[in-house]
Amino acid sequence: MAGTATAAGGTGGRNWTFLTNHGHVLLSIARDPTARLRDVAAEVGVTERAAQAIVADLEAGGYLHRTRVGRRNEYTLNPAGRFRHPAEAYRQVGDLLALFAETRAPEATRRP
């Protein structure tokens, strides 16, 4: 019996994606460096507390820097940071940002 299609486009009972929540948060911030964490959390599909913890991880890892501007945070990304997994450690996160952080295509032009 075949599994049902998931939101990620695959089949089976488990819903998974290729990018982690850390990757999604990094990309969300790359698209809008002045975004509020509640907006980042909503885009990624995590709680605001989870988004805060992820941003803290990314900052501690040197992937982004947080600067307070008035009552908001502004984020500066480090595209020269390396991927953490040994299989991709030779690549920079800037490669991922260049691939995904550009302006999203309008719905009508997206491919399924």
Side-chain angles (χ1 to χ4, degrees), residues 45-108:
V46 297
T47 64
E48 190 172 347
R49 181 172 279 190
Q52 289 171 342
I54 291 169
V55 166
D57 288 346
L58 293 171
E59 189 170 27
Y63 296 98
L64 62 80
H65 177 73
R66 181 177 9 190
T67 304
R68 194 78 175 161
V69 178
R71 294 176 27 185
R72 308 265 310 251
N73 288 322
E74 185 169 327
Y75 302 94
T76 305
L77 302 181
N78 175 15
R82 300 283 178 180
F83 282 93
R84 294 171 51 105
H85 194 279
E88 295 88 26
Y90 69 97
R91 301 295 300 253
Q92 296 179 337
V93 296
D95 298 336
L96 177 76
L97 298 172
L99 183 63
F100 287 107
E102 295 183 24
T103 306
R104 293 181 177 179
E107 288 295 324

